[in-house]
Amino acid sequence: MRGFLASSIGVATAAVLALPLALPTPALAAVSPDAAAAPVTPAGSTQSLPLAPVGPAASDRGPGVPGMSASPRLPETRGLAARDVKTFSLVGVVWDDVTTQLHGRVQVRTRSTATAAWSDWQDVETHNGEHAADPDAVERGSGRVRGATAPLWVGESDGVEVRVQAEPGAGTGTRAAGAARLPSGLRIELVDPGRSAPGTAPDAKNRRPVGDDKGEVVVPGMTMEMAESSAANVPHAPLGANEITALDKADSTADAVFASDGDLSEAAAPYIGPRPRIVTRKGWGADESLREPGFVYTNTVKAAFVHHSASGNNYDCKDAPAVLRSLYRYHVVSSGWRDIGYNFAVDKCGTVYEGRAGGVSKPVMGAHTMGFNTDSMGIAVIGTFTSANPPKAALDAVARLTAWKLGLFGADPRAKTTLKSGGGNRFPKGQSVRLNVISGHRDGFATECPGKRLYDQLPPTRTSAAKLQGRP
């Protein structure tokens, strides 16, 4: 099922022009003090460097197939020799065809700006295509979407070396014996998240064309795109807020009833959990000019899929907003998505962040679980939890977030629900699938995500979320 698009300019302009009417209380009617500063364009950049043939296979090319090895004994290898580059903090590899899989090994090593020391070789997770829009979604058919590895957070660096080797016997999309090929158009993406309060504009590669009021200031300190994104969270927070405050259970229910504009009653929604504190997109420094305008919604939220970002655990909590800005930029600029794929993110200290734009309480269509983005939401715990245990603070935050958001749509975290597959490697398109209301990514798609250690914690998370909702 396709989502429906809310107009960009219509949402932002209507919200701004009707602000005093939309916000009936003095506390909410005012524009947030967070928006009072002079507007700035978020910084950040993406360096995209082609990977060249390396090793013995570089001179052994098949006719008519540039860059491919003809030898069954020499897997194709591409890479980038160690070099100085502009500062970056996150890496990933992309290629031309989103339907092609990379069967092989991707490794990088980087040089820290703090110590000038080179890291050891680090593996980059190659299986990332399942974190995506559904096969028939408009977003996937835009012509901009590319194949991509998972991103890897490496911290502030100014040097990089890359090597990518095809798995012996692997082909481009099918395991054709002896082909040993890599996807075409391989590039290393080096992402600089910029600062949280930047003052320089991004380079031309990373901004959308100006010409339809893009960048116009509609309220102090905010561009049209920023106002559009922020207005989607009114009346939960004032326009321009950096965070949506936590509420207890009673106030969360009252807030939900008020925000529903008469569509919800307290009697009809007795199991809404306490709303957690949520850092807004403005709060973590999202460059709203990167994403596509407008929002895409699905019908409801029947399930929450839990993910890990697979970007590594080598970050401090103070760096989480920068990690999130990097993930956002990698999803949009490097991978070609309309926005960050996840609806929410949670860091290792338990802070909850707004993900894809459109309003934290609304059924925003994400691109997180291929085949099951309709009527669901995606939560990414920032880190890799294949062998590392997820922090208790992060697990508690997932329980609080699901208790609140699922409660808005009447879903019991301990229950099961039925979703219709949009197509994937585990369930064919059109099949009705019975899933846990709080599921792991691997429940809907054959993948390691969210990592065994995080997946094993989902049963107690369901119980905790139900208790927070006040269910017997």
Side-chain angles (χ1 to χ4, degrees), residues 49-73:
L49 306 175
L51 300 184
V54 296
S59 59
D60 189 9
R61 303 295 170 209
V65 189
M68 296 299 181
S69 170
S71 170
R73 296 177 300 279

Side-chain angles (χ1 to χ4, degrees), residues 74-152:
L74 298 174
E76 184 187 8
T77 303
R78 285 182 171 261
L80 187 73
R83 67 169 62 186
D84 297 340
V85 292
K86 292 190 298 183
T87 302
F88 68 96
S89 295
L90 179 140
V91 303
V93 169
V94 300
W95 54 93
D96 294 339
D97 186 359
V98 69
T99 65
T100 298
Q101 296 182 47
L102 194 165
H103 295 294
R105 189 176 189 183
V106 177
Q107 292 181 299
V108 300
R109 68 187 194 107
T110 56
R111 185 179 62 205
S112 168
T113 59
T115 65
W118 284 88
S119 71
D120 294 332
W121 285 102
Q122 300 183 76
D123 285 299
V124 178
E125 174 58 57
T126 60
H127 301 295
N128 191 54
E130 63 272 16
H131 297 82
D134 291 348
D136 64 347
V138 172
E139 178 173 358
R140 192 173 178 87
S142 67
R144 298 187 305 274
V145 181
R146 291 174 283 277
T149 67
L152 177 67

Side-chain angles (χ1 to χ4, degrees), residues 240-265:
N242 286 337
E243 66 176 60
I244 298 169
T245 58
L247 296 176
D248 62 23
K249 188 177 187 308
D251 286 343
S252 294
T253 302
D255 178 71
V257 171
F258 172 71
S260 74
D261 197 24
D263 293 336
L264 188 69
S265 68

Side-chain angles (χ1 to χ4, degrees), residues 386-400:
T386 304
S387 58
N389 290 321
K392 183 179 184 301
L395 296 173
D396 290 345
V398 172
R400 293 195 306 273

Side-chain angles (χ1 to χ4, degrees), residues 249-311:
K249 188 177 187 308
D251 286 343
S252 294
T253 302
D255 178 71
V257 171
F258 172 71
S260 74
D261 197 24
D263 293 336
L264 188 69
S265 68
E266 291 192 35
Y271 297 124
I272 298 174
R275 187 179 72 196
R277 171 181 173 265
I278 302 172
V279 177
T280 65
R281 290 170 64 91
K282 182 174 180 294
W284 55 261
D287 181 347
E288 298 293 354
S289 70
L290 294 180
R291 65 174 174 84
E292 289 187 15
F295 313 125
V296 178
Y297 296 102
T298 184
N299 303 301
T300 186
V301 178
K302 298 169 65 176
F305 286 97
V306 177
H307 305 254
H308 66 173
S309 64
S311 52

Side-chain angles (χ1 to χ4, degrees), residues 89-92 108 122-128 131 149-155 191 307-316 319-320 322-328 330-331 340 342 345-348 380-386 388 449-451 454:
S89 295
L90 179 140
V91 303
V108 300
Q122 300 183 76
D123 285 299
V124 178
E125 174 58 57
T126 60
H127 301 295
N128 191 54
H131 297 82
T149 67
L152 177 67
W153 177 262
V154 295
V191 181
H307 305 254
H308 66 173
S309 64
S311 52
N313 303 317
N314 188 28
Y315 71 94
D316 295 326
D319 296 324
V323 177
L324 200 53
R325 291 195 301 276
S326 298
L327 293 173
Y328 169 47
Y330 185 70
H331 284 182
I340 191 170
Y342 307 113
V346 175
D347 70 21
K348 63 173 67 175
V381 181
I382 300 174
T384 303
F385 302 106
T386 304
C449 184
L454 178 53

Side-chain angles (χ1 to χ4, degrees), residues 33 48 60 110 142 188 224 295 324-325 333 338 383 429 464:
S48 184
D60 189 9
T110 56
S142 67
I188 182 74
M224 175 69 81
F295 313 125
L324 200 53
R325 291 195 301 276
V333 175
R338 65 171 288 114
K429 182 179 179 179
S464 296

